[in-house]
Amino acid sequence: MQILNNYFRARTSMVYMMTNNEVMNQVIAFYRDMNGMLTFAGAYPTYGRGTGTKEVSPSNVQDGVDPLASQGALTLSRDGRFLLAVNAGSHSISSFIITDSGAPVLVDVKPSGGAQPNTVDVFGNLVYVANVGNVANNFASNITGFCIDNNGRLTPIPGSTHSLSTFNAKPAQVLFTRDGSKILVSEYTSNHLSIFPVNKDGTVTGPIVNDSYGQGPFGVYFLSSGILLVTEEVSNALSSYSMSNDGILHVISGSVPNGYQAACWVVTTRDERFAYITNTLSGTISTYRIDPNGALSVVRHITSTPPGTAPGLPMDVGVSKDGRHFYTLNGNQGTVSVFNIQDDGSLVRLQVVAWTNFPYLGSQGLAVL
């Protein structure tokens, strides 16, 4: 029995965040205990540069809190083997392999195929990164694909670089559909949701351009049913859509507001009955109920950090695989808030954890193993 226990040894549970430091970007790792609480485990350089507090786009609020303006700056593969990080300051992406101890080991750093990568996703052996571009230097917004091998090494896919719907579309998230047949990019400045069908050779066609129902589409999330959730940073709302096979989106609930500012990041409970939205500028997290048909309604709100303490501005989000805990990165502090998820979807705050003794701006990205 002892041999079996060793053989089926559960992987360490972890939470990762990214500093986006302009001198040397780093991945920060936290151990996650049985009760969801975090302890600092280590800092791991990406061998690329972030942007620090410098914003990747003039369309962003220039406050240094959310410099990459994206969901998915730090992304785990679906099997938890690989961690991918964007280095927007050096126009590259880094891939790590996750060891049994939970420590990320750097495997590869490759040019991102454009300027200022800010979001990345992986499906099977395919990786796609979205690049903001740089208007001043005449670099367009695009997506670029890579193959990732079993050791985590990245190989650019010839002919995979594809422009978004406009030159300066400002991608906010790149995301594969649940079956990997299409890629969705939320475009913040064009108010488009662009769909790219994925070809057998890993290249894409498209985009099939859909109008976002609300203004400033940002975080996107596919339910297992295929229903799509989209946050709207300008409209301060959440919308839901169904998608037909031809990549056309159909609105289910359009721009359901929650009464707070800057609805940006989104994740659901494991049973997909509730969605959590971070309202960054208000320092709150809103809970939405998701009906089986995808209709949305607002249920409740909670502050990211305890009342009476320095307010945290919540950004990137994640839910543990067992569905019991919700995590959010406070971009104005570089801290992570930990919550227990109740049966009714409500959140109970457990911890606000820091890895340094001083607050700082610029961090971006959160991934939960």
Side-chain angles (χ1 to χ4, degrees), residues 221 223-229 239-243 250-254 256 271-274 288-297:
Y221 190 95
L223 305 183
S224 52
S225 63
I227 286 169
L228 171 68
L229 305 180
S239 289
S240 59
Y241 303 81
S242 62
M243 183 168 66
H250 308 274
V251 178
I252 301 169
S253 285
V256 180
D271 61 12
E272 299 182 346
R273 290 170 54 223
F274 300 97
Y288 283 73
R289 180 178 284 106
I290 310 167
D291 289 346
N293 67 352
L296 304 172
S297 53

Side-chain angles (χ1 to χ4, degrees), residues 39-366:
T39 50
F40 173 68
Y44 303 88
T46 66
Y47 288 87
R49 297 192 311 277
T51 64
T53 56
K54 181 175 173 288
E55 313 280 345
V56 292
S57 170
S59 66
N60 298 356
V61 179
Q62 303 293 306
D63 58 5
V65 173
D66 173 22
L68 303 184
S70 66
Q71 182 164 315
L74 188 66
T75 302
L76 278 162
S77 59
R78 284 152 174 80
D79 60 7
R81 289 176 62 205
F82 304 117
L83 182 70
L84 292 144
V86 297
N87 304 303
S90 54
H91 318 301
S92 65
I93 57 172
S94 300
S95 68
F96 295 82
I97 199 159
I98 304 296
T99 59
D100 283 347
S101 69
V105 173
L106 183 73
V107 177
D108 208 354
V109 184
K110 283 288 196 299
S112 65
Q116 301 191 118
N118 70 337
T119 171
V120 61
D121 197 21
V122 53
F123 185 91
N125 67 341
L126 270 187
V127 170
Y128 263 83
V129 58
N131 293 286
V132 175
N134 187 315
V135 177
N137 294 330
N138 217 34
F139 288 112
S141 301
N142 73 22
I143 58 171
T144 295
F146 300 80
C147 283
I148 186 167
D149 70 14
N150 287 333
N151 299 313
R153 295 203 175 277
L154 298 167
T155 304
I157 298 170
S160 65
T161 298
H162 222 293
S163 296
L164 299 183
S165 72
T166 65
F167 183 88
N168 182 28
K170 182 49 232 338
Q173 187 168 6
V174 60
L175 185 68
F176 282 92
T177 55
R178 285 292 185 108
D179 64 0
S181 67
K182 298 178 183 72
I183 290 169
L184 168 68
V185 180
S186 54
E187 299 180 4
Y188 181 84
T189 49
S190 67
N191 289 310
H192 288 154
L193 299 166
S194 285
I195 308 289
F196 296 86
V198 179
N199 303 318
K200 284 191 168 53
D201 64 358
T203 61
V204 296
T205 53
I208 300 150
V209 180
N210 296 271
D211 289 331
S212 170
Y213 186 90
Q215 300 294 302
F218 197 99
V220 290
Y221 190 95
F222 281 109
L223 305 183
S224 52
S225 63
I227 286 169
L228 171 68
L229 305 180
V230 181
T231 61
E232 295 157 0
E233 196 260 353
V234 178
S235 299
N236 304 312
L238 181 68
S239 289
S240 59
Y241 303 81
S242 62
M243 183 168 66
S244 46
N245 286 335
D246 58 3
I248 302 298
L249 297 175
H250 308 274
V251 178
I252 301 169
S253 285
S255 293
V256 180
N258 58 48
Y260 291 98
Q261 280 190 296
C264 289
W265 285 265
V266 55
V267 71
T268 72
T269 52
R270 287 292 169 217
D271 61 12
E272 299 182 346
R273 290 170 54 223
F274 300 97
Y276 301 119
I277 313 302
T278 51
N279 308 300
T280 305
L281 293 181
S282 299
T284 60
I285 299 142
S286 292
T287 303
Y288 283 73
R289 180 178 284 106
I290 310 167
D291 289 346
N293 67 352
L296 304 172
S297 53
V298 180
V299 186
R300 63 181 71 82
H301 318 277
I302 189 171
T303 55
S304 185
T305 47
T309 66
L313 303 184
M315 297 183 7
D316 301 79
V317 290
V319 167
S320 59
K321 283 203 165 44
D322 61 12
R324 293 171 51 219
H325 298 99
F326 167 80
Y327 299 87
T328 184
L329 169 70
N330 297 301
N332 62 325
Q333 300 177 350
T335 61
V336 177
S337 293
V338 181
F339 297 82
N340 182 243
I341 299 173
Q342 306 294 290
D343 289 342
D344 65 354
S346 60
L347 297 172
V348 176
R349 197 184 307 96
L350 300 179
Q351 181 189 26
V352 179
V353 66
W355 69 277
T356 66
N357 292 324
F358 59 93
Y360 67 97
L361 294 171
S363 56
Q364 197 112 34
L366 185 82

